[in-house]
Amino acid sequence: MITFESMQELNFPQYPFRLKSSENKPLIFDEIRKKFVRLTPEEWVRQHTVAHILNVYHYPISLVNVEKELKLNQVSKRYDVVVFKPNGNIQLIVECKAPKIKINQKTFDQIARYNLALKSDYLMVTNGLNHYYCQMDYEAKKYIFLPDFPVYTP
């Protein structure tokens, strides 16, 4: 069983999350969805990533979206985090994995498939321990690895 204490320390700053337990299940408050959600290792990474986007990159909460469905070739998928530009275009797609999941080519293929539909400028893949940032080069049909993601500038 997952407990608050069993949540692994991640490669992010410490953030003051709201946690509670319901029916012996740990929950974490999602600032974007405005509700408590089940705390899983992947959700732990997702919530740290969102807090990081808001607190370090300074994106307004109104531009951040979490766990929404998208259709890829008539198949329903769910993205983890999307950050929009003020004009409604997509700035960043984030794929979150649990800390024990190794980031590999399959992970990048997954986010690349999502990006076929979403057309983001940047991609981020993280398992909470390792973070990878890419900028899309649509002309050359490739992504360029970056050391970090740009801070919000209105």
Side-chain angles (χ1 to χ4, degrees):
M1 182 173 84
I2 295 171
T3 64
F4 301 124
E5 296 77 26
S6 70
M7 285 293 108
Q8 185 171 350
E9 192 168 320
L10 302 176
N11 187 14
F12 285 108
Q14 298 271 330
Y15 293 110
F17 296 112
R18 289 172 48 199
L19 304 169
K20 75 176 188 178
S21 187
S22 176
E23 298 175 8
N24 279 339
K25 299 216 184 325
L27 304 173
I28 187 167
F29 190 77
D30 183 318
E31 294 291 334
I32 306 301
R33 293 178 273 185
K34 300 289 184 220
K35 66 180 184 179
F36 280 93
V37 295
R38 185 136 182 258
L39 180 58
T40 63
E42 183 178 318
E43 190 63 46
W44 186 239
V45 172
R46 185 180 301 111
Q47 292 305 316
H48 275 81
T49 302
V50 168
H52 204 64
I53 288 167
L54 298 175
N55 293 291
V56 173
Y57 300 115
H58 306 293
Y59 280 80
I61 196 168
S62 61
L63 296 180
V64 181
N65 208 300
V66 173
E67 282 261 293
K68 290 283 192 223
E69 187 177 292
L70 80 136
K71 292 265 191 211
L72 293 174
N73 300 326
Q74 314 309 316
V75 177
S76 292
K77 301 285 185 182
R78 292 183 83 72
Y79 62 71
D80 285 308
V81 181
V82 165
V83 179
F84 292 92
K85 297 178 191 176
N87 69 4
N89 291 339
I90 296 177
Q91 174 81 358
L92 171 70
I93 305 169
V94 183
E95 179 59 30
C96 299
K97 298 294 185 191
K100 70 177 183 181
I101 304 293
K102 192 168 171 48
I103 304 292
N104 57 24
Q105 187 61 49
K106 187 174 160 187
T107 315
F108 284 99
D109 291 347
Q110 178 184 4
I111 199 169
R113 277 193 306 278
Y114 291 177
N115 199 38
L116 289 174
L118 298 174
K119 304 282 189 250
S120 178
D121 292 343
Y122 296 91
L123 307 177
M124 177 184 177
V125 175
T126 182
N127 63 4
L129 305 173
N130 300 297
H131 317 303
Y132 299 94
Y133 307 91
C134 306
Q135 183 173 13
M136 294 305 302
D137 180 342
Y138 287 102
E139 261 183 48
K141 296 182 180 172
K142 65 178 185 175
Y143 35 81
I144 301 155
F145 283 91
L146 302 172
D148 208 348
F149 173 66
V151 171
Y152 179 72
T153 50

